[in-house]
Amino acid sequence: MKKKKNMKKKKNMKKAHYLPDEMIIPLILRLPVKSLLRFKCVSKSWFSIISDPHFAISHFDLATASSTHHHHNRLVYFPLLTYVSQTRCIDFDSSSFFYNDHPLEVRFLPRFSSPKIRGSCRGVLLLCLSSNLCLWNPSTGAIKLLSFPPIFSICFSYFSFCGFGYDPSTDDYLVVLSELESCFELFSLRANSWNQIEITNLRYVSVSCVTKTGILLDGIVHWLAYSNDFRVNLILAFDFVERSFLELPLPSDFNPDFIYSDVCLIGGLLSLYVTGGYNVTEIWVMQEYKVQSSWTKSIVVATDDFPRQIFSPICTTLSGDIVGLDGNTGLVKCNAKGHLLDYRSYCVDPLGCQAVVYTESLFQLPEQAARDDPPNDEA
């Protein structure tokens, strides 16, 4: 009798631990990518759920739509030359850089390759290596190498503009590059090919002396540029869905002819910064997109207390603090009044470092899809 009771108890326990997929999915959708990748080993059923492209889309959409979506945002810190092994993933929303970072695995990079970060979209980064481009999802480790456009013959460092984005209408990742003033090429990951973009009688050169990487906002990539035809500084933008260019005016009294100036995102809005004059960084925010009169000089950061008296903003935290680089290897955080809150240097690379924001995602690149094997046991 006792044996029958024990068998019945075990049977009930098994039933109590079982949950149907329609109950499991809403729960695990809220988990971070790192946990989900581990849970793929739980069973074939969980492997199938988490590996499903539709699950990856739902996970990303939930993360970006949530009021606390910053918790899925990370900062990649990348040395420029010989210290790639010190590449870090940093939770910039934490109170201190010192306790919320971990190393990223970058063994796929050639030694002394000096990779350049050239874009971030849907959790995937665009890197430029010495002989090709590379798409990399730091959350999953997925990578894909891309060749340069056949007509481009010079070193990438001379390219005028570079942008990386996504077209939801075709479910396609796109890369846009410019080598000369009016020669733009567009790469489609889905078609795996480059095509020239027609621009009629328009010639642009990059104004930024910090990067030539575009800032992506709502499917449009933006660069600080100079129009040789109209002899005026402006923001050049490329719409990945419409496959078209547009120009945005700068503030009427904005002067980009300082040591450092570039576009950035502050509080989710298109912004500009100028730094280098009198140990001050000015940040302008476009409150209403495309409207010149909506430009506002929102923040003036006095950099006298900063280690190198230079500040290049990258992003804002959930609490409204501003995170940026110090012009060398340091990561800086200041509040909305421009007061220094935190600073850390992660390496001693003589050429400095670079950093970019990405949102954790499960998105796979085509060559990654068949690499994982499901667990042998079935729940």
Side-chain angles (χ1 to χ4, degrees), residues 250-254 266 269-273 282-288 291-300:
L250 300 182
S252 55
D253 53 347
F254 179 81
I266 298 296
L269 298 173
L270 185 64
S271 305
L272 292 162
Y273 72 86
E282 298 178 351
I283 301 175
W284 297 72
V285 177
M286 185 179 249
Q287 304 290 344
E288 187 176 350
V291 179
Q292 184 181 25
S293 60
S294 72
W295 280 111
T296 305
K297 188 190 293 187
S298 299
I299 304 167
V300 177

Side-chain angles (χ1 to χ4, degrees), residues 109-263:
L109 294 174
R111 194 177 183 188
F112 305 119
S113 58
S114 186
K116 307 294 189 300
I117 300 174
R118 292 305 185 212
S120 173
C121 177
R122 288 164 49 93
V124 179
L125 305 186
L126 174 67
L127 306 180
C128 175
L129 309 182
S130 57
S131 58
N132 50 29
L133 298 169
C134 176
L135 298 182
W136 172 45
N137 184 331
S139 300
T140 65
I143 61 170
K144 182 175 178 63
L145 297 179
L146 316 175
S147 60
F148 287 132
I151 66 168
F152 284 15
S153 59
I154 60 176
C155 176
F156 187 85
S157 62
Y158 292 99
F159 287 8
S160 298
F161 304 100
C162 180
F164 178 47
Y166 175 76
D167 181 357
S169 66
T170 57
D171 186 26
D172 196 8
Y173 288 95
L174 302 164
V175 178
V176 59
L177 292 180
S178 169
E179 180 186 38
L180 303 173
E181 292 177 340
S182 58
C183 180
F184 284 85
E185 288 274 326
L186 184 69
F187 178 82
S188 162
L189 184 60
R190 181 170 288 277
N192 195 33
S193 63
W194 291 94
N195 288 287
Q196 191 167 353
I197 306 172
E198 297 294 333
I199 302 182
T200 306
N201 299 323
L202 292 177
R203 297 176 299 159
Y204 303 97
V205 293
S206 175
V207 172
S208 168
C209 53
V210 181
T211 69
K212 295 163 187 169
T213 302
I215 296 298
L216 188 65
L217 175 64
D218 296 333
I220 302 175
V221 64
H222 304 79
W223 305 278
L224 190 57
Y226 177 79
S227 170
N228 281 333
D229 297 279
F230 299 103
R231 301 189 179 280
V232 62
N233 292 304
L234 48 80
I235 293 177
L236 175 65
F238 179 74
D239 189 320
F240 283 106
V241 175
E242 300 295 332
R243 308 289 201 276
S244 61
F245 289 90
L246 58 150
E247 298 176 352
L248 304 179
L250 300 182
S252 55
D253 53 347
F254 179 81
N255 179 14
D257 299 323
F258 281 46
I259 297 176
Y260 297 107
S261 57
D262 209 347
V263 287

Side-chain angles (χ1 to χ4, degrees), residues 80-134:
L80 279 169
L81 185 60
T82 57
Y83 295 86
V84 173
S85 61
Q86 297 181 29
T87 298
R88 315 292 295 179
C89 170
I90 301 166
D91 179 3
F92 59 85
D93 269 312
S94 63
S95 58
S96 174
F97 296 138
F98 284 86
Y99 306 107
N100 291 277
D101 68 273
H102 63 267
L104 282 173
E105 179 57 67
V106 290
R107 282 187 294 182
F108 64 91
L109 294 174
R111 194 177 183 188
F112 305 119
S113 58
S114 186
K116 307 294 189 300
I117 300 174
R118 292 305 185 212
S120 173
C121 177
R122 288 164 49 93
V124 179
L125 305 186
L126 174 67
L127 306 180
C128 175
L129 309 182
S130 57
S131 58
N132 50 29
L133 298 169
C134 176

